[in-house]
Amino acid sequence: MKKLLLAASAAALLAGMWLAPAQAEYLKEHRGGTIRLLARSAAGTLDPHINYTDQGWQMYQPIYDGLVAFRKAEGMDGFTIVPDLAEALPEVTNDGKTFTFKLRKGIKFSDGKDLGVKDVVASFQRIFKVSGPTSGTFYAGIVGADKCLADTKSCTLEGGVVGDEAAGTITLNLTKPDAEILYKLALPHAVVLPADTPAEDMGSKPIPSTGAYMISAFDPNKGMTVTRNPNFKQWSEEAQPDGYPDVVQYDFGLSEEAAVTAIQNGEADWMFDALPSDRLGELGTKAMDQLHISPLSAWWYAPLNNRLAPFDNEKARQAVAYAIDRNTLVKLFGGKVLASPVCQVLPPDFPGHEDYCPFTKNPGTKWSAPDLDKAKQLVEESGTKGQKVTIIVEDTAISRSIGVYLQSVLTTIGYVADVKPISSNIQFTYIQNTNNKVQMSVTQWYKDYPAASDFLNILFSCASFREGSDASINIAGFCDKDIDAKMQKALDLGVTDQKAADKMWAEIDRQVTDKAPAVGLFTPKRLDFVSKRVGNFKFNRQFNWMITQSWVQ
Amino acid sequence: MSNQVAAMSRRTRGPWAVAFAKLARNRAAMASLAVFLLIVLACFSAPLYANWAGTDPFASTLDAVIQIDGADVAVMEQSTEGLGLGYTPIGPTWRLGNYFLGADSQGRDVMARMLYGGLSSLLISGAATIFTLILGTAAGLVAGYFGGITDTVLSRFLDVLWAFPIYLLAISLAIVTISQGISIGPIEIESGSLWLPVIIIGIVYVPYVARPIRGQVLSLRHSEFVLAAINLGVPGWRILWRDILPNITTTLIVFIPLMMALNMLTESALSFLSIGVQPPAASWGTIIQDGQALLYTRPLVALAPGLAIAISVMTLNVFGDGLRDALDPRSKVRLGRD
């Protein structure tokens, strides 16, 4: 592990050296101006330890820093971990359970205070004190986390996060080795905030930051203004590069239709929300140069409740997987340019992904066509024909369309199906709670970080299922002890041999897919529409478009 | 002589005949009735139309291909220029039985869905109107006739219902019942049933009927013929049934078209918000919702049902006004809070 990390950091250093002159040159020429972004609504709280949205995470990139970061680079390079506030990637000892970071010197927060070891230690404690949404999962392996989870207010993480002010080091102790800990530390939930940040959700109040930018104004009903951090001096171009625009103005409240028009007219530069489907044809023809299509590590899928009839029967689940025409779903999403059919859990180009599709006319590696005869036969064999199935979908145009299509598929193969759209604000939690007795639903999963476990272990492990809870992310209620044990083995193996672990994850992916606890529908792509003046568009696979790495003048 | 006969025959005509004659002379009301009946007829012919057109208005038909002037045309047209993004449903062909109003984003025939949608809207608003009239009349009769504590309790309950903004109340009831349905003792209504919007809309408008009815009953309660019946020992239920109810019938009749128009609007609003008629079933409200995502390329998908709602509601209101003028020109019946 240690050797691997050292090699990675050397490579990162070389890459940084190669990139530096080009960016410096461009910075002179294109630096300045205001980039205007639009979204239908704000992303919720400003607090980076709590916000758990794509929109928030994308905006935090030029603002906050952790000890390590995902490299601010285009494409798959964006999955690489690089040192950020730490001078280098950590020294790993104690059989992979202890990580020692040396903090960089001379970094200041946007309010002028110096960054110190105490800020790092306090930030780790704050993750638990504010009951961060991933405190019980991503960071539960830190020594002392169990006590913090039980009593958040008096969290000290004693023995878990140890700071040495004199040496400028922070030592992180884990209860057991975790191959994914650096990914978890590079997420916004683990960024370093000033030690005196109140241990409560800061809501609309900006927290001082170390990055190239800072939030200078925020009104959840109007917008957010992000300006340059006056105390920022670039220390690592690949972790926290300086940006081009002087100001990022993010306005909320405009509908998607109005946002498209604003961008076309040059009144705005980009919109967060998906483009309205009735504008795709026009934009794809008239504004080709302003569109950027990028792959996503995401999964649209239909969880089938493994604990409720008719989908407590494996054959009934497989029947649905055989019957669904993925091409139709791709059409509903906007066509092949914007989505690709899938059968399996792990998205393409993702660690552990090996093409696999058993639920198609010619089973093999790729989906080709639905097999309705096989589906009908399986429904007959399962003895579930004629049973009632309700599909719960989000009340959005695309989800409703998918729901209506799935309803007609289920009717075709012998079920009495209906579809219920419910508000997007509650659908995701509603379908997780077993009390709501949801038989089938349509939802999406976007990776937190590039590891197979972020899909397989989170969505299908026994531990992810919680009876009667709104936070039971194993929506299908799937629990297979053998597969669970294998996932644990793969996680352990990742500490010493990630390649071998990924091979194992590929096997787990196949096994989970075969059991059909959920039906894979398609892998979406991200379509970004920018104004004509936006230059240097770069899409990072981890956090999407790197806003401040584009210029507007 | 002939003038005398004519005058006598006029004297012998009953109040209903007079009212009907008056209504028949109201051209606007009769024209509205004719248009509304045409809409009703068209909507009730929905299954026949779908069968004749060979289309299933509830199933996704994204791969369907139709023939126009001998050429095959895909119902969902993929953009072939530029990046080839998105699919656009076929626009109106203006040929009955062949995607007359075009297709929606599921490739379904909008005309067939419009007719089915109208059928749902008419059935729900009609049934809700009957539901409201029965409950409202019962509450108004009992409160107005028996008075005292009965009147106080019923009136306060109606006041509470009245105090809620109608749409807020309807949306709240719909959200509570839409996913689980209603189960009260032996009465069980499954989620997704058309009876759910009927009951919800029926309940929220009860005060609109009950309050004016109560007012009328209160005044009838002190009229001489009712006092005489009470003094003769006629039972209360019999007085209500035989003496009071017939005297409020005209008001109730006037309520029918006006309530139906109001219910149609409410049903469309609830369905538009996904808490009325549930997909894949259609109502004019759900079709507008489907059309919302196609406003830019296929505006007719949203405009057509919107127009149908507007025409239906307008004809019902004009006819209702004519009916009120014909049956009871002194009536103060108005729907609304002032």
Side-chain angles (χ1 to χ4, degrees):
Chain A
M1 175 78 171
K2 188 179 163 189
K3 272 183 188 170
L4 194 75
L5 293 176
L6 282 173
S9 59
L13 192 67
L14 282 172
M17 284 165 66
W18 179 76
L19 281 171
Q23 203 217 6
E25 203 174 293
Y26 280 133
L27 263 174
K28 248 190 234 168
E29 193 184 336
H30 297 290
R31 193 181 165 93
T34 299
I35 192 163
R36 295 179 192 281
L37 317 179
L38 298 173
R40 188 178 261 275
S41 59
T45 175
L46 272 190
D47 198 321
H49 282 169
I50 297 173
N51 189 302
Y52 200 4
T53 65
D54 265 1
Q55 190 183 354
W57 281 19
Q58 181 184 27
M59 198 57 243
Y60 291 146
Q61 293 316 301
I63 298 172
Y64 294 104
D65 297 279
L67 289 171
V68 290
F70 284 97
R71 182 188 284 166
K72 306 289 187 296
E74 229 175 339
M76 299 288 278
D77 280 350
F79 282 153
T80 311
I81 294 291
V82 294
D84 191 353
L85 296 178
E87 280 181 0
L89 289 176
E91 185 187 344
V92 186
T93 51
N94 190 19
D95 295 329
K97 288 193 284 187
T98 298
F99 294 74
T100 307
F101 299 88
K102 180 139 178 66
L103 198 63
R104 289 183 200 268
K105 284 178 184 158
I107 295 176
K108 284 179 185 288
F109 284 104
S110 51
D111 61 359
K113 287 180 189 160
D114 288 324
L115 169 79
V117 169
K118 65 175 188 318
D119 299 306
V120 182
V121 176
S123 292
F124 273 102
Q125 292 168 358
R126 191 173 181 274
I127 297 172
F128 295 90
K129 285 181 176 171
V130 296
S131 297
T134 50
S135 57
T137 50
F138 293 172
Y139 310 107
I142 300 174
V143 170
D146 49 349
K147 281 184 193 163
C148 288
L149 288 167
D151 181 8
T152 53
K153 280 186 182 166
S154 57
C155 175
T156 57
L157 284 175
E158 195 182 344
V161 179
V162 183
D164 183 336
E165 285 286 355
T169 59
I170 300 102
T171 305
L172 185 72
N173 291 309
L174 303 180
T175 52
K176 63 177 206 163
D178 179 356
E180 293 160 11
I181 189 67
L182 292 186
Y183 290 142
K184 295 169 184 173
L185 296 182
L187 297 176
H189 288 167
V191 295
V192 178
L193 304 176
D196 56 2
T197 307
E200 61 190 24
D201 183 353
M202 295 297 280
S204 304
K205 206 172 164 196
I207 304 171
S209 55
T210 48
Y213 292 82
M214 60 180 197
I215 300 168
S216 41
F218 180 75
D219 179 337
N221 298 315
K222 284 184 182 168
M224 171 163 71
T225 307
V226 175
T227 52
R228 288 190 187 279
N229 174 0
N231 301 306
F232 174 76
K233 277 180 196 143
Q234 185 175 293
W235 61 82
S236 163
E237 190 183 317
E238 55 183 2
Q240 187 56 271
D242 197 3
Y244 290 99
D246 286 338
V247 179
V248 179
Q249 181 59 44
Y250 209 146
D251 293 325
F252 311 130
L254 226 55
S255 71
E256 289 88 337
E257 288 282 358
V260 168
T261 308
I263 296 168
Q264 278 178 320
N265 294 341
E267 292 157 359
D269 297 303
W270 174 82
M271 58 191 279
F272 168 76
D273 304 288
L275 293 176
S277 55
D278 59 345
R279 305 294 292 271
L280 291 178
E282 172 213 359
L283 296 174
T285 312
K286 293 182 186 165
M288 278 166 64
D289 300 342
Q290 292 166 254
L291 287 173
H292 298 270
I293 300 166
S294 317
L296 290 173
S297 302
W299 194 43
W300 274 72
Y301 68 111
L304 304 170
N305 195 328
N306 289 223
R307 294 162 190 248
L308 267 185
F311 301 125
D312 53 352
N313 186 311
E314 194 175 312
K315 284 186 176 172
R317 300 197 298 267
Q318 289 172 337
V320 178
Y322 272 112
I324 293 173
D325 184 345
R326 272 75 167 180
N327 273 345
T328 297
L329 296 170
V330 166
K331 263 187 188 177
L332 288 173
F333 196 71
K336 285 180 181 167
V337 183
L338 295 181
S340 345
V342 287
C343 290
Q344 64 197 110
V345 182
L346 294 177
D349 300 332
F350 206 67
H353 173 94
E354 282 176 16
D355 285 341
Y356 179 60
C357 186
F359 304 120
T360 174
K361 221 162 200 143
N362 302 301
T365 54
K366 294 278 182 196
W367 184 88
S368 58
D371 192 340
L372 278 173
D373 294 335
K374 177 88 177 164
K376 284 176 187 168
Q377 180 200 330
L378 283 166
V379 172
E380 287 284 354
E381 286 173 15
S382 69
T384 58
K385 193 174 179 181
Q387 291 193 14
K388 200 173 177 310
V389 178
T390 300
I391 310 160
I392 304 287
V393 297
E394 275 180 85
D395 193 13
T396 60
I398 176 72
S399 283
R400 254 198 330 268
S401 299
I402 291 173
V404 169
Y405 167 70
L406 293 179
Q407 185 268 345
S408 61
V409 169
L410 291 185
T411 307
T412 308
I413 61 173
Y415 294 110
V416 179
D418 63 1
V419 55
K420 258 180 209 34
I422 61 174
S423 166
S424 306
N425 298 329
I426 57 167
Q427 193 257 5
F428 191 55
T429 46
Y430 183 89
I431 60 175
Q432 290 182 59
N433 197 319
T434 49
N435 293 336
N436 296 322
K437 297 189 174 14
V438 175
Q439 293 165 295
M440 183 175 178
S441 52
V442 174
T443 189
Q444 315 101 51
W445 184 252
Y446 289 78
K447 54 101 198 57
D448 293 299
Y449 52 82
S453 69
D454 193 45
F455 280 77
L456 290 163
N457 190 41
I458 289 191
L459 299 181
F460 299 109
S461 69
C462 300
S464 297
F465 175 74
R466 291 174 202 167
E467 192 96 42
S469 163
D470 273 358
S472 178
I473 196 62
N474 182 347
I475 301 166
F478 177 77
C479 179
D480 183 303
K481 298 284 177 203
D482 293 339
I483 291 178
D484 232 37
K486 211 170 244 179
M487 288 201 270
Q488 202 47 57
K489 261 189 191 169
L491 280 170
D492 294 341
L493 185 60
V495 177
T496 50
D497 187 348
Q498 192 57 54
K499 268 196 174 168
D502 285 344
K503 272 269 167 218
M504 206 163 170
W505 283 115
E507 193 188 326
I508 296 166
D509 188 19
R510 283 192 288 273
Q511 285 178 351
V512 172
T513 302
D514 286 343
K515 298 241 171 208
V519 182
L521 305 177
F522 56 87
T523 305
K525 286 181 186 156
R526 170 80 199 177
L527 183 61
D528 286 296
F529 178 44
V530 296
S531 69
K532 282 182 182 153
R533 66 180 192 146
V534 170
N536 203 37
F537 182 96
K538 286 184 178 173
F539 191 88
N540 175 286
R541 281 295 292 270
Q542 175 62 25
F543 294 117
N544 301 352
W545 173 45
M546 296 184 290
I547 298 165
T548 55
Q549 293 310 294
S550 288
W551 57 66
V552 288
Q553 63 179 37
Chain B
M1 181 65 184
S2 62
N3 282 346
Q4 281 176 342
V5 171
M8 277 178 71
S9 75
R10 267 202 301 274
R11 274 199 295 274
T12 52
R13 283 168 72 190
W16 292 105
V18 173
F20 182 75
K22 201 171 177 186
L23 180 65
R25 281 199 300 276
N26 187 335
R27 285 184 188 171
M30 293 314 287
S32 296
L33 179 66
V35 172
F36 182 69
L37 288 178
L38 265 178
I39 293 172
V40 172
L41 199 68
C43 292
F44 273 83
S45 69
L48 292 175
Y49 180 86
N51 195 34
W52 171 63
T55 184
D56 180 351
F58 307 116
S60 303
T61 48
L62 291 139
D63 296 322
V65 174
I66 58 167
Q67 286 231 319
I68 297 176
D69 296 331
D72 285 347
V73 178
V75 166
M76 300 297 287
E77 299 164 312
Q78 187 180 12
S79 170
T80 48
E81 291 172 22
L83 295 172
L85 294 178
Y87 284 80
T88 308
I90 190 171
T93 63
W94 306 118
R95 292 156 200 250
L96 276 174
N98 197 18
Y99 288 84
F100 182 77
L101 293 174
D104 66 6
S105 53
Q106 295 274 332
R108 299 172 296 195
D109 187 328
V110 174
M111 184 65 193
R113 280 184 69 75
M114 275 278 296
L115 296 179
Y116 268 105
L119 188 57
S120 301
S121 295
L122 287 169
L123 288 176
I124 291 171
S125 54
T129 302
I130 296 169
F131 193 74
T132 306
L133 287 180
I134 291 172
L135 283 184
T137 306
L141 281 174
V142 171
Y145 182 78
F146 292 107
I149 186 79
T150 314
D151 183 25
T152 308
V153 171
L154 272 172
S155 295
R156 293 300 79 77
F157 178 70
L158 292 173
D159 284 345
V160 170
L161 268 184
W162 190 266
F164 279 100
I166 285 300
Y167 281 97
L168 188 65
L169 182 61
I171 289 168
S172 310
L173 286 172
I175 286 174
V176 170
T177 56
I178 207 77
S179 56
Q180 306 293 341
I182 295 176
S183 179
I184 308 169
I187 303 167
E188 201 151 307
I189 301 171
E190 282 192 2
S191 63
S193 162
L194 287 187
W195 283 107
L196 277 180
V198 168
I199 291 172
I200 290 162
I201 297 167
I203 287 173
V204 298
Y205 284 118
V206 165
Y208 282 63
V209 173
R211 284 173 68 119
I213 295 293
R214 175 185 166 271
Q216 268 193 293
V217 174
L218 264 180
S219 102
L220 285 168
R221 170 76 172 74
H222 296 102
S223 60
E224 286 175 359
F225 69 97
V226 173
L227 290 174
I230 293 169
N231 287 333
L232 285 170
V234 179
W237 65 267
R238 193 179 158 87
I239 296 171
L240 279 172
W241 184 251
R242 296 290 297 273
D243 298 314
I244 294 182
L245 193 59
N247 278 289
I248 58 167
T249 313
T250 51
T251 307
L252 292 176
I253 290 172
V254 170
F255 263 125
I256 293 172
L258 300 176
M259 285 305 304
M260 203 162 158
L262 206 57
N263 289 346
M264 195 173 276
L265 283 174
T266 311
E267 182 280 322
S268 300
L270 291 182
S271 296
F272 177 76
L273 296 170
S274 299
I275 45 179
V277 172
Q278 296 295 295
S283 98
W284 285 336
T286 61
I287 301 171
I288 294 178
Q289 188 194 41
D290 293 340
Q292 208 185 6
L294 296 167
L295 268 182
Y296 196 75
T297 46
R298 298 285 177 245
L300 208 61
V301 180
L303 284 178
L307 208 62
I309 294 170
I311 293 172
S312 303
V313 170
M314 193 185 74
T315 54
L316 281 168
N317 278 329
V318 173
F319 177 68
D321 280 348
L323 204 58
R324 187 191 58 225
D325 293 344
L327 286 171
D328 188 2
R330 291 165 302 164
S331 169
K332 295 279 189 284
V333 170
R334 289 280 191 282
L335 290 181
R337 286 160 187 255
D338 43 23

